[in-house]
Amino acid sequence: MKIELTNAKLSDIQEMQQLVASEVEAGVILARNSDEIATNIRSYILAKDGSEIVGFCALHLHTPALAEIRSLVVKDGRRGEGIGQSLVTKATDEAKLLGLEKVLSLTYKQSFFENLGFVEIPKESIPEHKIWADCIKCKHFPICNEVSLIKTL
């Protein structure tokens, strides 16, 4: 079956939380409660195989020039099918339509993002509000092994 990329709906939140739970537990993805997802539901892009969510990501706007791809997850057993690449491509295409200049990613999967045109940048160059709004909630803060990458659009 063909994977369909679609916008998330409030009714998708429970299934999204189930899909991301193991990655949150492992500390790979930052935990977001259902209310936070609901508040930002318009930023989420889903990859669906029929009615099943097999992946998602969010395009989170930081400034009029900068957005971040975050919460990227693909269902175990479905990785390697190009689903993650499709989600990131869709998010960067949307960023271009919005007139953004750059898209940021904090990740443990550096080569994945580099293959999509992202380049590593020093973490010190990340907007300060990002650190205090998100990173401080991470169980790895302040010792972080994520790599910061950016793509100029």
Side-chain angles (χ1 to χ4, degrees):
M1 181 172 272
K2 186 178 180 330
I3 300 298
E4 177 190 5
L5 299 180
T6 185
N7 295 324
K9 297 182 191 116
L10 294 168
S11 59
D12 295 316
I13 292 173
Q14 183 176 353
E15 188 177 353
M16 291 167 68
Q17 290 285 47
Q18 291 168 351
L19 177 60
V20 79
S22 63
E23 299 297 318
V24 168
E25 181 66 29
V28 175
I29 292 180
L30 191 62
R32 302 201 186 278
N33 66 40
S34 294
D35 288 343
E36 187 176 3
I37 293 173
T39 299
N40 295 289
I41 197 70
R42 291 180 178 174
S43 68
Y44 287 92
I45 302 164
L46 305 181
K48 295 184 93 173
D49 186 349
S51 62
E52 179 187 19
I53 299 171
V54 293
F56 66 85
C57 74
L59 179 69
H60 183 76
L61 306 179
H62 284 292
T63 71
L66 178 69
E68 177 187 6
I69 293 177
R70 63 187 195 182
S71 301
L72 174 62
V73 64
V74 174
K75 184 176 182 174
D76 233 359
R78 299 301 302 263
R79 296 175 184 163
E81 296 179 22
I83 296 168
Q85 179 179 339
S86 295
L87 286 164
V88 171
T89 299
K90 174 86 169 163
T92 55
D93 287 348
E94 184 176 326
K96 287 177 195 172
L97 287 173
L98 291 170
L100 293 159
E101 297 169 13
K102 296 179 180 183
V103 177
L104 169 75
S105 178
L106 284 164
T107 184
Y108 295 107
K109 306 286 187 186
Q110 181 174 357
S111 62
F112 170 83
F113 282 93
E114 287 175 338
N115 289 336
L116 297 173
F118 287 73
V119 294
E120 186 175 357
I121 59 168
K123 281 188 196 151
E124 299 76 39
S125 67
I126 297 172
E128 192 173 297
H129 66 272
K130 163 65 180 162
I131 300 300
W132 296 114
D134 289 326
C135 297
I136 202 161
K137 294 186 266 183
C138 179
K139 69 184 194 179
H140 300 296
F141 185 80
I143 311 296
C144 176
N145 294 326
E146 281 189 314
V147 176
S148 52
L149 299 114
I150 203 152
K151 181 174 185 168
T152 301
L153 304 176

Short mmCIF file of all heavy atoms in Angstrom, two decimals, residues 72-116:
data_model
loop_
_atom_site.label_atom_id
_atom_site.label_comp_id
_atom_site.label_asym_id
_atom_site.label_seq_id
_atom_site.Cartn_x
_atom_site.Cartn_y
_atom_site.Cartn_z
N LEU A 72 10.55 13.37 15.05
CA LEU A 72 10.52 12.46 13.90
C LEU A 72 10.60 11.02 14.39
O LEU A 72 11.54 10.64 15.08
CB LEU A 72 11.68 12.76 12.94
CG LEU A 72 11.85 11.80 11.76
CD1 LEU A 72 10.64 11.84 10.84
CD2 LEU A 72 13.12 12.15 10.99
N VAL A 73 9.61 10.24 14.00
CA VAL A 73 9.58 8.83 14.39
C VAL A 73 8.95 8.02 13.26
O VAL A 73 8.04 8.49 12.59
CB VAL A 73 8.80 8.62 15.72
CG1 VAL A 73 7.35 9.00 15.59
CG2 VAL A 73 8.95 7.20 16.23
N VAL A 74 9.51 6.84 13.06
CA VAL A 74 8.94 5.87 12.12
C VAL A 74 8.78 4.56 12.88
O VAL A 74 9.67 4.17 13.66
CB VAL A 74 9.85 5.68 10.88
CG1 VAL A 74 9.32 4.57 9.99
CG2 VAL A 74 9.97 6.98 10.09
N LYS A 75 7.66 3.93 12.68
CA LYS A 75 7.34 2.68 13.39
C LYS A 75 8.43 1.64 13.19
O LYS A 75 8.94 1.45 12.08
CB LYS A 75 5.99 2.15 12.88
CG LYS A 75 5.51 0.93 13.61
CD LYS A 75 4.15 0.50 13.13
CE LYS A 75 3.70 -0.70 13.94
NZ LYS A 75 2.33 -1.07 13.63
N ASP A 76 8.78 0.97 14.28
CA ASP A 76 9.71 -0.15 14.21
C ASP A 76 9.19 -1.16 13.19
O ASP A 76 8.00 -1.42 13.12
CB ASP A 76 9.79 -0.82 15.58
CG ASP A 76 11.20 -0.96 16.08
OD1 ASP A 76 12.13 -0.56 15.38
OD2 ASP A 76 11.36 -1.49 17.20
N GLY A 77 10.06 -1.70 12.38
CA GLY A 77 9.66 -2.64 11.34
C GLY A 77 9.32 -1.95 10.03
O GLY A 77 9.15 -2.62 9.01
N ARG A 78 9.19 -0.63 10.04
CA ARG A 78 8.89 0.13 8.82
C ARG A 78 10.04 1.06 8.46
O ARG A 78 9.96 1.79 7.49
CB ARG A 78 7.60 0.96 9.00
CG ARG A 78 6.34 0.16 9.29
CD ARG A 78 5.99 -0.84 8.20
NE ARG A 78 5.79 -0.25 6.90
CZ ARG A 78 4.62 0.08 6.37
NH1 ARG A 78 3.51 -0.12 7.04
NH2 ARG A 78 4.55 0.60 5.16
N ARG A 79 11.09 1.04 9.27
CA ARG A 79 12.25 1.89 9.00
C ARG A 79 13.00 1.36 7.79
O ARG A 79 13.00 0.17 7.51
CB ARG A 79 13.14 1.96 10.23
CG ARG A 79 12.39 2.63 11.38
CD ARG A 79 13.14 2.65 12.67
NE ARG A 79 12.24 3.24 13.68
CZ ARG A 79 12.43 3.14 14.96
NH1 ARG A 79 13.47 2.49 15.44
NH2 ARG A 79 11.58 3.69 15.79
N GLY A 80 13.61 2.26 7.04
CA GLY A 80 14.34 1.87 5.85
C GLY A 80 13.49 1.86 4.59
O GLY A 80 13.96 1.51 3.52
N GLU A 81 12.22 2.26 4.71
CA GLU A 81 11.32 2.29 3.56
C GLU A 81 11.20 3.68 2.93
O GLU A 81 10.44 3.88 1.99
CB GLU A 81 9.91 1.83 3.97
CG GLU A 81 9.84 0.40 4.44
CD GLU A 81 8.43 -0.01 4.85
OE1 GLU A 81 7.44 0.62 4.41
OE2 GLU A 81 8.31 -0.97 5.64
N GLY A 82 11.93 4.66 3.48
CA GLY A 82 11.86 6.02 2.96
C GLY A 82 10.78 6.87 3.60
O GLY A 82 10.54 8.00 3.16
N ILE A 83 10.14 6.36 4.64
CA ILE A 83 9.06 7.10 5.30
C ILE A 83 9.61 8.35 5.99
O ILE A 83 9.07 9.45 5.84
CB ILE A 83 8.30 6.19 6.29
CG1 ILE A 83 7.61 5.06 5.53
CG2 ILE A 83 7.31 7.01 7.13
CD1 ILE A 83 7.07 3.94 6.41
N GLY A 84 10.69 8.20 6.72
CA GLY A 84 11.30 9.35 7.40
C GLY A 84 11.75 10.40 6.42
O GLY A 84 11.53 11.60 6.63
N GLN A 85 12.37 9.97 5.34
CA GLN A 85 12.81 10.90 4.30
C GLN A 85 11.62 11.66 3.72
O GLN A 85 11.68 12.88 3.51
CB GLN A 85 13.55 10.16 3.20
CG GLN A 85 14.03 11.06 2.08
CD GLN A 85 14.79 10.29 1.01
OE1 GLN A 85 15.31 9.21 1.25
NE2 GLN A 85 14.87 10.87 -0.16
N SER A 86 10.53 10.96 3.45
CA SER A 86 9.32 11.61 2.92
C SER A 86 8.77 12.64 3.89
O SER A 86 8.34 13.73 3.48
CB SER A 86 8.24 10.57 2.62
OG SER A 86 8.65 9.71 1.60
N LEU A 87 8.76 12.31 5.18
CA LEU A 87 8.27 13.25 6.19
C LEU A 87 9.14 14.51 6.25
O LEU A 87 8.62 15.63 6.29
CB LEU A 87 8.21 12.57 7.56
CG LEU A 87 7.09 11.57 7.76
CD1 LEU A 87 7.36 10.69 8.97
CD2 LEU A 87 5.75 12.29 7.90
N VAL A 88 10.46 14.33 6.26
CA VAL A 88 11.37 15.49 6.32
C VAL A 88 11.24 16.33 5.06
O VAL A 88 11.21 17.57 5.13
CB VAL A 88 12.83 15.04 6.57
CG1 VAL A 88 13.79 16.21 6.42
CG2 VAL A 88 12.95 14.41 7.96
N THR A 89 11.14 15.68 3.91
CA THR A 89 10.98 16.41 2.65
C THR A 89 9.69 17.22 2.66
O THR A 89 9.68 18.40 2.28
CB THR A 89 11.01 15.44 1.45
OG1 THR A 89 12.29 14.79 1.44
CG2 THR A 89 10.80 16.17 0.14
N LYS A 90 8.60 16.62 3.11
CA LYS A 90 7.32 17.32 3.20
C LYS A 90 7.42 18.51 4.14
O LYS A 90 6.92 19.61 3.84
CB LYS A 90 6.23 16.35 3.67
CG LYS A 90 4.90 16.96 3.94
CD LYS A 90 4.06 17.05 2.71
CE LYS A 90 2.63 17.43 3.06
NZ LYS A 90 1.89 17.90 1.92
N ALA A 91 8.08 18.33 5.27
CA ALA A 91 8.23 19.42 6.25
C ALA A 91 9.08 20.55 5.67
O ALA A 91 8.74 21.73 5.84
CB ALA A 91 8.84 18.89 7.54
N THR A 92 10.18 20.23 4.99
CA THR A 92 11.02 21.29 4.42
C THR A 92 10.31 21.98 3.26
O THR A 92 10.46 23.19 3.09
CB THR A 92 12.41 20.76 3.99
OG1 THR A 92 12.25 19.67 3.10
CG2 THR A 92 13.24 20.35 5.18
N ASP A 93 9.51 21.25 2.50
CA ASP A 93 8.71 21.88 1.44
C ASP A 93 7.72 22.88 2.04
O ASP A 93 7.52 23.97 1.52
CB ASP A 93 7.97 20.83 0.62
CG ASP A 93 8.87 20.03 -0.31
OD1 ASP A 93 10.06 20.42 -0.49
OD2 ASP A 93 8.41 19.01 -0.84
N GLU A 94 7.10 22.49 3.15
CA GLU A 94 6.16 23.39 3.83
C GLU A 94 6.89 24.62 4.36
O GLU A 94 6.38 25.74 4.27
CB GLU A 94 5.46 22.66 4.96
CG GLU A 94 4.40 23.49 5.64
CD GLU A 94 3.64 22.72 6.72
OE1 GLU A 94 3.42 21.52 6.55
OE2 GLU A 94 3.27 23.36 7.73
N ALA A 95 8.09 24.41 4.90
CA ALA A 95 8.89 25.53 5.40
C ALA A 95 9.19 26.53 4.28
O ALA A 95 9.12 27.75 4.48
CB ALA A 95 10.19 25.01 6.03
N LYS A 96 9.52 26.01 3.11
CA LYS A 96 9.76 26.88 1.95
C LYS A 96 8.51 27.69 1.61
O LYS A 96 8.59 28.89 1.34
CB LYS A 96 10.19 26.06 0.73
CG LYS A 96 11.59 25.52 0.80
CD LYS A 96 11.87 24.67 -0.44
CE LYS A 96 13.10 23.82 -0.24
NZ LYS A 96 13.30 22.86 -1.33
N LEU A 97 7.35 27.03 1.59
CA LEU A 97 6.10 27.71 1.28
C LEU A 97 5.79 28.82 2.28
O LEU A 97 5.19 29.83 1.93
CB LEU A 97 4.93 26.72 1.25
CG LEU A 97 4.86 25.78 0.06
CD1 LEU A 97 3.76 24.74 0.25
CD2 LEU A 97 4.61 26.57 -1.23
N LEU A 98 6.21 28.63 3.52
CA LEU A 98 5.99 29.63 4.55
C LEU A 98 6.98 30.78 4.46
O LEU A 98 6.83 31.79 5.16
CB LEU A 98 6.06 28.99 5.94
CG LEU A 98 4.92 28.03 6.29
CD1 LEU A 98 5.23 27.27 7.56
CD2 LEU A 98 3.61 28.78 6.40
N GLY A 99 8.01 30.63 3.63
CA GLY A 99 9.01 31.68 3.46
C GLY A 99 10.15 31.62 4.47
O GLY A 99 10.88 32.60 4.64
N LEU A 100 10.30 30.49 5.11
CA LEU A 100 11.40 30.33 6.06
C LEU A 100 12.74 30.22 5.32
O LEU A 100 12.78 29.82 4.16
CB LEU A 100 11.18 29.08 6.92
CG LEU A 100 9.99 29.19 7.87
CD1 LEU A 100 9.50 27.83 8.28
CD2 LEU A 100 10.36 30.01 9.08
N GLU A 101 13.81 30.56 6.01
CA GLU A 101 15.14 30.52 5.40
C GLU A 101 15.90 29.25 5.76
O GLU A 101 16.70 28.75 4.97
CB GLU A 101 15.96 31.73 5.86
CG GLU A 101 15.36 33.05 5.41
CD GLU A 101 16.02 34.25 6.07
OE1 GLU A 101 17.09 34.11 6.70
OE2 GLU A 101 15.43 35.35 5.97
N LYS A 102 15.67 28.74 6.97
CA LYS A 102 16.43 27.59 7.46
C LYS A 102 15.56 26.66 8.29
O LYS A 102 14.59 27.08 8.91
CB LYS A 102 17.60 28.06 8.32
CG LYS A 102 18.63 28.88 7.55
CD LYS A 102 19.74 29.34 8.44
CE LYS A 102 20.73 30.17 7.61
NZ LYS A 102 21.88 30.58 8.40
N VAL A 103 15.96 25.38 8.29
CA VAL A 103 15.29 24.37 9.11
C VAL A 103 16.37 23.68 9.95
O VAL A 103 17.39 23.23 9.42
CB VAL A 103 14.53 23.34 8.25
CG1 VAL A 103 13.91 22.27 9.12
CG2 VAL A 103 13.46 24.03 7.42
N LEU A 104 16.11 23.57 11.23
CA LEU A 104 17.02 23.01 12.22
C LEU A 104 16.58 21.60 12.60
O LEU A 104 15.39 21.29 12.57
CB LEU A 104 16.99 23.92 13.46
CG LEU A 104 17.65 23.44 14.74
CD1 LEU A 104 19.17 23.56 14.60
CD2 LEU A 104 17.17 24.28 15.92
N SER A 105 17.54 20.78 12.98
CA SER A 105 17.21 19.48 13.58
C SER A 105 18.24 19.17 14.66
O SER A 105 19.43 19.38 14.46
CB SER A 105 17.23 18.38 12.53
OG SER A 105 16.97 17.13 13.15
N LEU A 106 17.77 18.70 15.79
CA LEU A 106 18.63 18.14 16.84
C LEU A 106 18.38 16.65 16.81
O LEU A 106 17.23 16.21 16.96
CB LEU A 106 18.25 18.71 18.21
CG LEU A 106 18.73 20.13 18.46
CD1 LEU A 106 18.01 20.74 19.64
CD2 LEU A 106 20.23 20.13 18.70
N THR A 107 19.43 15.86 16.61
CA THR A 107 19.22 14.44 16.34
C THR A 107 20.40 13.58 16.78
O THR A 107 21.52 14.07 16.94
CB THR A 107 18.97 14.24 14.83
OG1 THR A 107 18.67 12.87 14.58
CG2 THR A 107 20.16 14.66 14.00
N TYR A 108 20.12 12.30 16.94
CA TYR A 108 21.16 11.29 17.11
C TYR A 108 21.45 10.61 15.77
O TYR A 108 22.34 9.79 15.68
CB TYR A 108 20.71 10.23 18.13
CG TYR A 108 20.54 10.77 19.53
CD1 TYR A 108 19.27 10.96 20.07
CD2 TYR A 108 21.64 11.10 20.31
CE1 TYR A 108 19.11 11.47 21.34
CE2 TYR A 108 21.49 11.61 21.59
CZ TYR A 108 20.22 11.79 22.10
OH TYR A 108 20.07 12.30 23.37
N LYS A 109 20.67 10.92 14.75
CA LYS A 109 20.78 10.31 13.42
C LYS A 109 21.39 11.30 12.43
O LYS A 109 20.76 11.71 11.45
CB LYS A 109 19.39 9.86 12.92
CG LYS A 109 18.65 8.95 13.87
CD LYS A 109 19.24 7.57 13.89
CE LYS A 109 18.38 6.64 14.73
NZ LYS A 109 18.97 5.35 14.91
N GLN A 110 22.62 11.69 12.70
CA GLN A 110 23.29 12.72 11.91
C GLN A 110 23.34 12.40 10.42
O GLN A 110 23.00 13.23 9.59
CB GLN A 110 24.71 12.95 12.45
CG GLN A 110 25.47 14.02 11.72
CD GLN A 110 26.82 14.32 12.36
OE1 GLN A 110 27.17 13.76 13.39
NE2 GLN A 110 27.56 15.23 11.77
N SER A 111 23.75 11.19 10.07
CA SER A 111 23.92 10.86 8.65
C SER A 111 22.58 10.88 7.91
O SER A 111 22.53 11.25 6.74
CB SER A 111 24.61 9.50 8.48
OG SER A 111 23.83 8.47 9.04
N PHE A 112 21.49 10.52 8.59
CA PHE A 112 20.17 10.57 7.97
C PHE A 112 19.87 11.99 7.48
O PHE A 112 19.48 12.20 6.34
CB PHE A 112 19.09 10.11 8.96
CG PHE A 112 17.68 10.34 8.49
CD1 PHE A 112 17.06 9.44 7.63
CD2 PHE A 112 16.97 11.47 8.89
CE1 PHE A 112 15.77 9.66 7.18
CE2 PHE A 112 15.67 11.69 8.45
CZ PHE A 112 15.08 10.79 7.59
N PHE A 113 20.07 12.96 8.36
CA PHE A 113 19.79 14.35 7.99
C PHE A 113 20.82 14.90 7.00
O PHE A 113 20.47 15.67 6.11
CB PHE A 113 19.68 15.23 9.24
CG PHE A 113 18.35 15.08 9.93
CD1 PHE A 113 18.18 14.17 10.97
CD2 PHE A 113 17.25 15.81 9.53
CE1 PHE A 113 16.95 14.01 11.59
CE2 PHE A 113 16.01 15.66 10.14
CZ PHE A 113 15.86 14.76 11.17
N GLU A 114 22.07 14.50 7.14
CA GLU A 114 23.09 14.96 6.18
C GLU A 114 22.75 14.48 4.77
O GLU A 114 22.95 15.21 3.80
CB GLU A 114 24.48 14.49 6.60
CG GLU A 114 25.01 15.27 7.79
CD GLU A 114 26.33 14.77 8.33
OE1 GLU A 114 26.69 13.58 8.08
OE2 GLU A 114 27.02 15.54 9.01
N ASN A 115 22.22 13.28 4.65
CA ASN A 115 21.81 12.76 3.34
C ASN A 115 20.66 13.56 2.74
O ASN A 115 20.41 13.46 1.53
CB ASN A 115 21.42 11.28 3.43
CG ASN A 115 22.62 10.38 3.67
OD1 ASN A 115 23.74 10.73 3.33
ND2 ASN A 115 22.37 9.23 4.26
N LEU A 116 19.98 14.35 3.56
CA LEU A 116 18.87 15.18 3.09
C LEU A 116 19.28 16.65 2.96
O LEU A 116 18.43 17.53 2.83
CB LEU A 116 17.67 15.04 4.04
CG LEU A 116 17.08 13.63 4.11
CD1 LEU A 116 16.01 13.54 5.19
CD2 LEU A 116 16.51 13.22 2.76
#
